[in-house]
């Protein structure tokens, strides 16, 4: 019963965030919006980073509360110091190939403590893929595909070109957020300030 409820919740969340929260090759150039009523947040994150997991629900809440005023681009930035971060990013990319990126993205962050200490994290990701209803043969093939690894690393290189050297790193309309906000309220205030500037 708990698993079914979780599946329903993930499906609803994915449906809500699918339009505004994206991870695609085209996002690389979408750092700002010409729309004065919309702000773009670009986040470079590492799935094994505890700080990134902390910000995951904050970003979700921003999207939920700000709606069309906010577009979020999620970018892979696996740190070499985190043994399984690149594998987790490949799992998210493999799910994206079946239009279920956000479901996998959320499960990976919500279960970070479990898989990051597992002796076989790949099996954890396979279980998540099964839970969200992916074609398992395709998921396994995509997880191990050179193209998937290339996508993950190209996003990391893109971040490095923008000066990213730690996670999470956020940009609001192309400007790096530094220092990072500590709470949802602080983050919302930054986004609202940028909106006010664009509209003023």
């Amino acid at each position: 019963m708990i698993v079914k409820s979780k599946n329903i919740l993930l499906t609803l969340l994915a449906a809500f965030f699918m339009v505004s929260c994206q991870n695609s090759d085209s996002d690389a150039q979408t750092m700002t919006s010409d729309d004065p009523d919309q702000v773009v947040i670009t986040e470079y994150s590492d799935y094994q980073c505890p700080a990134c997991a902390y910000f995951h629900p904050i970003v979700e809440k921003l999207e939920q509360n700000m709606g069309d005023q906010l577009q979020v681009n999620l970018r892979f930035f696996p740190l070499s110091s985190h043994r399984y971060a690149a594998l987790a990013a490949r799992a998210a990319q493999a799910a994206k190939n079946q239009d279920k990126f956000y479901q996998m993205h959320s499960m990976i962050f919500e279960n970070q403590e479990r898989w990051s200490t597992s002796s076989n994290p790949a099996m954890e990701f396979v279980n998540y893929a099964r839970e969200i209803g992916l074609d398992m043969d395709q998921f396994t093939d995509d997880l191990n595909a050179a193209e998937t690894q290339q996508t993950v690393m190209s996003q990391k290189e893109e971040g490095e070109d923008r000066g990213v050297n730690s996670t999470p790193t956020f940009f609001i309309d192309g400007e790096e957020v530094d220092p990072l906000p500590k709470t949802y309220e602080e983050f919302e205030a930054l986004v609202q300030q940028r909106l006010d500037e664009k509209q003023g």
Side-chain angles (χ1 to χ4, degrees), residues 59-72:
V59 173
E60 276 192 339
K61 189 174 179 181
L62 281 170
E63 292 182 291
Q64 182 178 359
N65 291 345
M66 304 200 75
D68 292 339
Q69 291 181 302
L70 187 63
Q71 177 186 328
V72 175

Side-chain angles (χ1 to χ4, degrees), residues 114-188:
R114 178 185 176 93
W115 61 260
S116 63
T117 57
S118 170
S119 59
N120 188 4
M123 274 310 302
E124 296 289 336
F125 301 141
V126 166
N127 289 336
Y128 302 159
R130 187 174 291 113
E131 189 170 336
I132 62 177
L134 297 185
D135 178 299
M136 296 309 299
D137 289 337
Q138 182 183 343
F139 175 77
T140 302
D141 288 346
D142 289 347
L143 180 67
N144 298 310
E147 183 180 353
T148 304
Q149 176 70 4
Q150 183 179 358
T151 297
V152 170
M153 297 317 294
S154 68
Q155 290 188 17
K156 182 176 183 180
E157 289 168 7
E158 170 198 299
E160 289 172 339
D161 289 343
R162 290 182 172 140
V164 176
N165 58 20
S166 62
T167 58
T169 295
F170 291 93
F171 293 85
I172 296 179
D173 274 356
E175 295 185 15
E176 185 175 350
V177 178
D178 185 26
L180 288 175
K182 296 182 178 63
T183 64
Y184 166 80
E185 289 76 17
E186 289 182 12
F187 211 142
E188 183 185 43

Side-chain angles (χ1 to χ4, degrees), residues 16-22 38 63 67-68 70-73:
F16 184 87
F17 292 121
M18 194 171 293
V19 174
S20 59
C21 187
Q22 308 169 39
Q38 186 181 69
E63 292 182 291
D68 292 339
L70 187 63
Q71 177 186 328
V72 175
N73 297 331

Side-chain angles (χ1 to χ4, degrees), residues 21-35:
C21 187
Q22 308 169 39
N23 179 285
S24 68
D25 297 338
S26 62
D27 290 343
Q29 304 305 320
T30 312
M31 293 287 279
T32 62
S33 173
D34 293 332
D35 185 346

Side-chain angles (χ1 to χ4, degrees), residues 68-100:
D68 292 339
Q69 291 181 302
L70 187 63
Q71 177 186 328
V72 175
N73 297 331
L74 303 172
R75 313 297 286 162
F76 302 128
F77 200 88
L79 299 170
S80 57
S81 58
H82 288 155
R83 183 178 179 184
Y84 302 131
L87 175 63
R90 282 161 40 206
Q93 179 64 24
K96 175 187 172 295
N97 292 347
Q98 298 187 49
D99 298 320
K100 291 194 174 181

